[in-house]
Amino acid sequence: MFNRKRCLRRVAAVASIGLMAGCSVFSASDPNSEGPIVVGTTSAPSTLDPAASWDGSWELFRNIYQTLLAYPGGATTPQPDAAKSCKFTDSGYRTYSCEIRPGMKFSNGDALTAQAVKYSIDRIRTINAKTGPAGLLGSLDRVQVLGDRQVVFHLNKPDATFPFVLATPAMSIVDPDDYPARSLRKDGKVDGSGPYELQSYREGEKAVLVRNDHYQGFAQRQNDAVTIRYFRDSGTMVKALKDKQIDVTYRGLAADDIVALQSKDSSDLQLVDGAGTDINYLVFNPKDPWAKNPAVRKAVAQVVDRAAIAHKVYKDTVDPLYSMVPAGLTGHTTGFFDDFGDPSVPKAREILTKAGIHQRVPLTLWYTTDRYGSETAKEFQELKRQLDGSGLFTITLKSRPWKTYVQGYENGEYPVFGRGWFPDFPDADNFIAPFVGEQNALGTPYPSPKITKTLLPESRRESDRAKVVKEFQEAQQILVNDARLLPLWQGRQYVAASDDISGGEQALDPSTIMMMWELHRKTSW
């Protein structure tokens, strides 16, 4: 396992950063001296319209649109961006008011007012796109405008996490003159107020970003232009980096490529190793005759060797995870390790025997072929090896491309299936709430009244998230006891860059979205 504690160094440089920015050792040069910085990624947008996106499109949105709140340099809680200030105006966390910066404009010169903010939020709920973020606004009752610069959000229940919602790129502010109120924009253009203007865009290929001269916000741009190139796989992207066709990569590096970039052969490249909050887990379908049995689920939990998956499949580029809430967030626990300990076939056999199960349990595990990286198939092969090897299970593996995979789990077709989760915002709430309730992000009902009706509502009455650790710990223990969801690993974020690029250490916000404006070329060592 490689050393995660070292900062940036010349040979196969690795900078280790947490949720807040890490070490920085270089100064910026003339941002225009060698043209735009070219960034490669395998995460292409699915849309340019914020009302249609609850996915990786947010990577682009953060740089071309603006939200009332965001995460300036090192902040782990939302701070004003398009807003001059925001606050709850009542003690019950049901009225949230924001004052917009004076003189705000969109990139096309149109005024950005409180009316535009209300229009943008209302539009999300009116369109209610199947792939859109309307589900994030469940606690919102109505939006009120007071003059041109004051917008008030009236909530239908206490929700101290509402500022986190407003800080997601889903709540990007759009120009009412260019975005239809009841349908999605379809001309392939963007009118936002972010640090950059989208000069041109070719779907699945390239996005050209140039400085937005009308921008007002927290970002201190270290460059004037960024071109984003979209790749289909890690290998092609890394080759482009080595061939100096791109300057930076920021999402989609495969484990083998990460290991190769750490080698001496990559001495002209640097690798920023950043803490991530994305997680990978298994879901058990309560409609399946075997997966619905708690003893079966707990026996699987007792056999699965997370450390082996992290080491053998992902080459220690991910970390074993023992709770749905990842390490680094307030409220994280290690419940699955505390209850099940190290992998043990005898303990798993005892669990099944006590439940009257004496035969090998047949289970079909499903995974998607094109969503979470090239290692996914290897990961499920390792799971099959572990479970089959215990003598307690007979595992069948099946897979589909993401588009049809989603339809399958929403229709309840899969006994056990793999999922990944990139957070909407960095709070334990967002690793619990989306997965429970009759309607949730998994398409498999998971009624848990204690969590949905007591623990989550109680936690949302407190803005100091350190004071709700008890509620989150209890919720996580319920998830462990039910074993309906089985966390496997927590990801890390890797930014590979040419030796003359700096700013990668500061470029990832707490939701691991790249802030392109932090990148710049170095002047000296």
Side-chain angles (χ1 to χ4, degrees):
M1 184 179 295
F2 60 88
N3 181 2
R4 297 191 187 280
K5 297 182 179 179
R6 56 182 183 253
C7 263
L8 196 61
R9 62 187 180 93
R10 182 65 184 252
V11 180
V14 178
S16 185
I17 56 176
L19 289 178
M20 297 200 300
C23 54
S24 178
V25 295
F26 302 112
S27 58
S29 63
D30 178 2
N32 295 308
S33 61
E34 297 183 48
I37 291 176
V38 183
V39 180
T41 177
T42 61
S43 180
S46 62
T47 177
L48 295 179
D49 192 327
S53 171
W54 198 348
D55 60 20
S57 304
W58 290 8
E59 301 274 13
L60 179 61
F61 293 176
R62 177 61 79 199
N63 293 276
I64 59 177
Y65 290 106
Q66 201 171 13
T67 46
L68 289 171
L69 301 165
Y71 299 96
T76 55
T77 56
Q79 304 295 322
D81 186 10
K84 178 181 178 182
S85 63
C86 290
K87 64 180 180 180
F88 280 103
T89 58
D90 66 332
S91 58
Y93 299 106
R94 296 185 59 160
T95 306
Y96 194 72
S97 179
C98 290
E99 180 184 356
I100 298 170
R101 294 175 186 261
M104 291 289 291
K105 293 181 179 180
F106 292 102
S107 58
N108 60 12
D110 290 352
L112 190 163
T113 63
Q115 287 82 1
V117 174
K118 173 178 168 58
Y119 182 91
S120 300
I121 304 298
D122 287 346
R123 179 175 179 267
I124 291 171
R125 297 202 297 175
T126 298
I127 295 175
N128 194 23
K130 186 175 182 180
T131 57
L136 287 171
L137 295 169
S139 64
L140 179 62
D141 180 30
R142 61 188 177 91
V143 185
Q144 179 185 16
V145 168
L146 301 175
D148 285 340
R149 292 180 49 208
Q150 198 77 23
V151 58
V152 182
F153 301 92
H154 298 275
L155 309 183
N156 53 37
K157 54 189 173 184
D159 188 0
T161 69
F162 190 71
F164 288 93
V165 173
L166 289 180
T168 66
M171 303 300 133
S172 295
I173 305 166
V174 301
D175 188 342
D177 289 343
D178 298 309
Y179 290 77
R182 299 183 177 278
S183 62
L184 299 174
R185 184 172 182 174
K186 298 178 181 178
D187 63 1
K189 298 181 180 179
V190 165
D191 291 294
S193 60
Y196 298 100
E197 180 179 352
L198 185 64
Q199 185 179 69
S200 65
Y201 179 74
R202 290 206 303 268
E203 185 175 356
E205 297 182 26
K206 183 168 66 173
V208 177
L209 280 57
V210 296
R211 185 184 186 93
N212 174 14
D213 291 331
H214 292 297
Y215 171 72
Q216 293 187 63
F218 70 83
Q220 298 182 9
R221 289 165 291 196
Q222 302 298 313
N223 63 71
D224 283 342
V226 172
T227 295
I228 305 173
R229 285 186 55 190
Y230 300 110
F231 293 84
R232 294 185 182 277
D233 61 83
S234 173
T236 306
M237 181 169 66
V238 170
K239 185 179 186 302
L241 179 66
K242 291 180 176 180
D243 292 345
K244 300 189 183 304
Q245 296 174 359
I246 62 176
D247 300 302
V248 184
T249 71
Y250 79 99
R251 194 181 291 283
L253 288 172
D256 287 341
D257 290 321
I258 293 169
V259 172
L261 287 166
Q262 293 161 353
S263 71
K264 293 182 180 180
D265 294 337
S266 297
S267 58
D268 59 340
L269 300 174
Q270 54 180 302
L271 186 68
V272 175
D273 170 8
T277 52
D278 59 302
I279 66 172
N280 185 273
Y281 57 97
L282 293 179
V283 183
F284 292 88
N285 187 344
K287 295 180 181 179
D288 180 77
W290 286 107
K292 72 178 182 181
N293 190 320
V296 171
R297 303 195 298 262
K298 292 179 180 180
V300 172
Q302 186 65 75
V303 169
V304 168
D305 188 340
R306 296 167 174 81
I309 293 172
H311 179 67
K312 295 171 67 174
V313 177
Y314 290 95
K315 313 294 179 63
D316 298 310
T317 61
V318 303
D319 299 312
L321 182 63
Y322 298 93
S323 168
M324 290 298 288
V325 176
L329 294 186
T330 299
H332 165 74
T333 68
T334 54
F336 276 91
F337 184 82
D338 298 339
D339 280 26
F340 295 97
D342 291 323
S344 172
V345 172
K347 289 181 180 179
R349 181 179 291 110
E350 182 180 357
I351 292 171
L352 293 173
T353 300
K354 286 184 177 180
I357 300 173
H358 304 283
Q359 67 181 92
R360 289 179 71 121
V361 176
L363 285 175
T364 301
L365 274 58
W366 282 81
Y367 64 92
T368 180
T369 58
D370 58 354
R371 178 70 170 182
Y372 302 121
S374 58
E375 291 92 353
T376 303
K378 297 177 183 178
E379 175 185 348
F380 275 76
Q381 289 162 6
E382 173 62 17
L383 284 168
K384 173 179 170 61
R385 186 195 68 79
Q386 293 178 11
L387 294 169
D388 280 348
S390 71
L392 304 175
F393 300 92
T394 299
I395 302 300
T396 301
L397 297 181
K398 292 188 177 182
S399 61
R400 285 176 177 171
W402 177 251
K403 188 173 182 179
T404 53
Y405 185 74
V406 172
Q407 297 171 357
Y409 73 67
E410 287 181 344
N411 293 333
E413 296 178 18
Y414 311 147
V416 185
F417 59 97
R419 281 294 312 270
W421 183 254
F422 285 89
D424 302 315
F425 51 86
D427 187 87
D429 182 288
N430 197 238
F431 290 88
I432 298 174
F435 310 127
V436 295
E438 291 294 335
Q439 293 183 319
N440 58 50
L442 303 173
T444 55
Y446 183 2
S448 183
K450 179 67 173 179
I451 295 178
T452 59
K453 296 182 180 180
T454 302
L455 296 175
L456 288 176
E458 286 179 356
S459 73
R460 291 168 179 169
R461 288 185 168 89
E462 178 55 67
S463 60
D464 185 348
R465 308 309 283 164
K467 293 182 179 179
V468 293
V469 169
K470 180 180 178 181
E471 286 82 359
F472 287 136
Q473 289 177 339
E474 187 175 349
Q476 287 170 86
Q477 188 58 50
I478 291 172
L479 297 181
V480 172
N481 294 343
D482 293 343
R484 284 275 307 273
L485 308 169
L486 185 64
L488 297 175
W489 52 261
Q490 175 176 349
R492 303 185 65 81
Q493 294 300 314
Y494 294 91
V495 178
S498 299
D499 212 26
D500 65 338
I501 296 293
S502 190
E505 309 93 336
Q506 295 82 23
L508 298 179
D509 80 358
S511 296
T512 64
I513 291 175
M514 177 167 275
M515 300 178 290
M516 302 289 182
W517 58 85
E518 295 284 0
L519 301 172
H520 54 85
R521 303 187 190 279
K522 299 182 300 212
T523 55
S524 62
W525 285 95

